[in-house]
Amino acid sequence: MTARDESDVLVIGAGLSGAITSLRLAQAGIRVTCLEQGEWQNPEDYPGDKPTFEVAAMGPWHANPNVRGNSADYPVADDTSDIAPMLFNGVGGSTVLFSAHWMRFLPSDFRVHSLDGVAADWPFDYGELAPYYDRVEHDIGVSGIAGDPAYPDRPEYPMPPLPIGDWGERVAAAHHRLGWHWWPGSNAITSRPYNGRRPCVQRSTCRGGCNEGAKGTVDRTHWPKALSLGVDLRTGARVSRIVVDRNGLARGVVYHDAGGEEREVRAKVVILAAHAIGTARLLLMSACPGWQDGVANRSGRVGRNLMMHPLARVVGFFDADLHSWQGHWGQSLYSLEFAETDRRRGFVRGAKWNLVPSGGPLLAALYPTDGAPGWGAGIHERVSRWLGRSAIWGITAEDIPHPDNRVTLDDALSDAHGNPAPRLHYRVDDNSRSMLAYMVERARESFLEAGATGTEAQALAPDTGWHALGTCRMGDDSATSVVDRWNRSHDIPNLYVVDGSTFVTGSSVNPAATIAALALRATERLLDQRRNQRVPI
């Protein structure tokens, strides 16, 4: 017999949006249960302060769940995708491994259809989201400097920016000469002591977990507060389906606990915060009588319009020791020179560039670019040329959402409890390919102007699917979107989605800040309207 208990609100997923939502509800006195299929991470286990860091980052701490293969992970069928998925299952979610670039959307990102005739407009504008950006930056702890002319006026960041490094100084000077935009990087990384967290030690191992707690991972910034307010966080809890009652309301979920027992949690409100891949997967595999195509999917849009942020990299090599094995693997500086549409370039929308250090010897040896050598003496020459004497432009392209780029359920692959795995169907379109080719050439110009002796490029990096977005699109029209402008399901009025799956368009900037702001906005709206909220009887 399935064990059963109850809560006021049930949140699925303990990552960025789940943590923000759970904490805000608890602050309002709401009884919250959060189910997370992963576990807590011990910062002492992170590989960043160990000599074997680079080996660990390519294996047990790899961001691709198919490579990492933790018991908490679910496999993702990605042989039908040009880009592999990057995500983490555990308390803190992908913030545990993310590079912590913290960027707001640009105002134009909310009006893509009006401005450029592609995709769709968001149901609100930048100004409506700005107050929530302000609040989450203080909660997370973001370092940066206000005044970037590419953005509207904004308050100062909670902390000053991190150092841009010798490589950043060279590139910044080059962009001054070229007349191109640049700005010191904004990162969810502490530049000084902040709310009990230590400042960044500039070891450049951010993507393997932060041993010092300098990175704004929500297991540090939000979950301790949420637990102190009584949130019931259950780890090792793998949800298999959402249960919908005869009145068309979500009454809870069924899950397997850490011991393998099947359990049910009933709740007045159910909130999905399980990542754009995981949320779409759960809605689709909850199909039942009345919801044959998946729960909350009368529009047929659940899983569709997947965006993955195609990414290129350009490496610049210098005849000077820039100490570029150090730094933070967030962004030293960024450029939005080519972020807005200019149709003379042959494509619409644009890309954000972020400058990062170039890591250690193993990364140098194995980094896939157009100049990568074979084995033997070439490897030694490459590492000598690379180590401490190079920098990398990461180029993130905005991709246009297409209905055929989507998440479906795989018929042959399943997780540890027999639930079907998600399958990614994603192809980089001609617009994005033209964009990346253009950006690679401009990034070469940037480095050469900065004094680089040469460059290498990776025109499309496949292992970069950090930013899966759009699979439960937001909108005012229930025929073309899954949730409304307040993140509530059009079909099921007590079911909400607060993760990146609700994005209408993807921008070219990293999505974490917008995911966080949207989650806070949706939760505030739920609290404001709770007396009018329909709930199961």
Side-chain angles (χ1 to χ4, degrees):
M1 188 176 200
T2 301
R4 178 184 299 162
D5 56 356
E6 297 184 356
S7 187
D8 290 334
V9 177
L10 175 63
V11 178
I12 303 170
L16 178 60
S17 59
I20 289 170
T21 298
S22 297
L23 175 57
R24 184 65 192 94
L25 290 171
Q27 289 170 333
I30 305 297
R31 184 174 51 149
V32 179
T33 298
C34 179
L35 302 181
E36 167 56 52
Q37 67 183 21
E39 302 291 345
W40 286 91
Q41 304 304 308
N42 182 350
E44 293 182 2
D45 294 336
Y46 294 149
D49 61 351
K50 301 171 180 63
T52 55
F53 166 73
E54 289 190 289
V55 175
M58 295 181 181
W61 288 96
H62 200 289
N64 186 333
N66 295 331
V67 176
R68 188 174 62 241
N70 287 350
S71 59
D73 291 322
Y74 52 84
V76 181
D78 62 2
D79 57 308
T80 47
S81 176
D82 290 338
I83 297 176
M86 301 286 170
L87 57 95
F88 189 76
N89 296 300
V91 179
S94 294
T95 66
V96 171
L97 298 186
F98 80 151
S99 295
H101 305 185
W102 197 267
M103 301 280 293
R104 299 184 180 199
F105 268 26
L106 296 159
S108 68
D109 293 328
F110 296 89
R111 303 178 58 240
V112 169
H113 184 75
S114 294
L115 293 172
D116 298 316
V118 296
D121 289 347
W122 289 61
F124 52 83
D125 62 13
Y126 173 93
E128 187 168 334
L129 202 56
Y132 302 98
Y133 280 131
D134 295 344
R135 289 170 61 184
V136 297
E137 284 170 2
H138 282 270
D139 294 339
I140 291 287
V142 180
S143 59
I145 184 169
D148 182 353
Y151 279 98
D153 290 342
R154 50 149 298 143
E156 193 52 81
Y157 287 91
M159 285 170 282
L162 293 158
I164 66 173
D166 295 343
W167 59 96
E169 292 180 8
R170 285 175 176 253
V171 170
H175 278 224
H176 273 307
R177 293 192 295 272
L178 290 167
W180 290 0
H181 173 270
W182 73 274
W183 201 252
S186 48
N187 297 279
I189 302 173
T190 53
S191 60
R192 64 187 182 195
Y194 188 83
N195 290 344
R197 290 158 54 201
R198 296 176 57 191
C200 177
V201 298
Q202 296 286 286
R203 196 171 47 235
S204 189
T205 58
C206 312
R207 66 194 186 280
C210 181
N211 306 82
E212 281 71 33
K215 191 166 68 170
T217 61
V218 290
D219 56 330
R220 298 285 188 99
T221 63
H222 284 69
W223 275 115
K225 299 174 186 176
L227 295 178
S228 73
L229 293 171
V231 174
D232 178 11
L233 172 57
R234 304 180 190 179
T235 60
R238 192 186 299 274
V239 179
S240 57
R241 69 180 186 277
I242 300 166
V243 180
V244 181
D245 69 14
R246 66 182 65 185
N247 296 315
L249 296 173
R251 77 178 191 197
V253 304
V254 174
Y255 75 98
H256 286 90
D257 66 18
E261 180 181 1
E262 187 175 81
R263 303 180 64 89
E264 181 177 354
V265 179
R266 293 193 173 185
K268 297 174 183 176
V269 172
V270 176
I271 300 177
L272 301 184
H275 189 273
I277 296 173
T279 286
R281 174 201 185 207
L282 180 55
L283 291 171
L284 292 172
M285 70 185 191
S286 298
C288 59
W291 300 97
Q292 288 85 354
D293 296 324
V295 164
N297 194 26
R298 289 198 179 112
S299 66
R301 294 304 200 273
V302 170
R304 293 189 180 273
N305 298 303
L306 172 66
M307 295 170 281
M308 296 283 281
H309 267 177
L311 186 141
R313 298 187 181 107
V314 177
V315 184
F317 299 96
F318 296 83
D319 275 343
D321 187 357
L322 305 179
H323 308 285
S324 55
W325 52 270
Q326 293 181 301
H328 48 278
W329 204 269
Q331 51 192 354
S332 303
L333 54 85
Y334 63 84
S335 176
L336 297 172
E337 178 66 26
F338 305 103
E340 303 284 5
T341 293
D342 183 341
R343 291 184 180 273
R344 293 172 298 179
R345 300 172 188 152
F347 52 84
V348 295
R349 305 308 296 157
K352 170 241 182 181
W353 300 7
N354 54 265
L355 190 71
V356 297
S358 52
L362 187 59
L363 187 66
L366 300 180
Y367 209 81
T369 63
D370 53 17
W375 296 103
I379 289 290
H380 294 278
E381 293 171 5
R382 179 180 172 86
V383 171
S384 297
R385 184 186 183 208
W386 180 296
L387 190 59
R389 306 167 72 87
S390 57
I392 302 173
W393 272 124
I395 301 168
T396 306
E398 177 172 353
D399 52 342
I400 306 303
H402 293 286
D404 291 339
N405 282 344
R406 62 188 298 201
V407 175
T408 62
L409 300 180
D410 190 85
D411 294 332
L413 192 62
S414 61
D415 65 23
H417 290 95
N419 302 307
R423 171 169 286 280
L424 305 188
H425 306 263
Y426 179 84
R427 298 302 180 199
V428 177
D429 67 11
D430 290 341
N431 189 77
S432 292
R433 291 183 182 276
S434 295
M435 184 190 303
L436 290 176
Y438 177 90
M439 298 295 166
V440 164
E441 292 310 308
R442 303 292 81 71
R444 291 186 194 274
E445 290 181 40
S446 167
F447 276 138
L448 293 175
E449 178 65 29
T453 58
T455 63
E456 293 179 5
Q458 187 180 24
L460 177 63
D463 286 330
T464 55
W466 287 102
H467 304 159
L469 304 166
T471 56
C472 295
R473 174 187 283 186
M474 172 190 294
D476 291 331
D477 185 354
S478 62
T480 59
S481 57
V482 178
V483 300
D484 67 15
R485 65 174 59 210
W486 301 106
N487 294 70
R488 181 168 69 175
S489 163
H490 288 299
D491 299 342
I492 301 176
N494 70 329
L495 178 67
Y496 292 76
V497 179
V498 295
D499 56 42
S501 61
T502 66
F503 279 36
V504 180
T505 54
S507 178
S508 62
V509 306
N510 305 64
T514 302
I515 291 172
L518 283 174
L520 181 58
R521 175 180 178 272
T523 307
E524 294 284 9
R525 173 70 174 186
L526 173 59
L527 290 170
D528 289 344
Q529 299 294 314
R530 57 184 153 177
R531 289 183 177 85
N532 301 320
Q533 176 65 59
R534 284 185 60 195
V535 299
I537 299 174

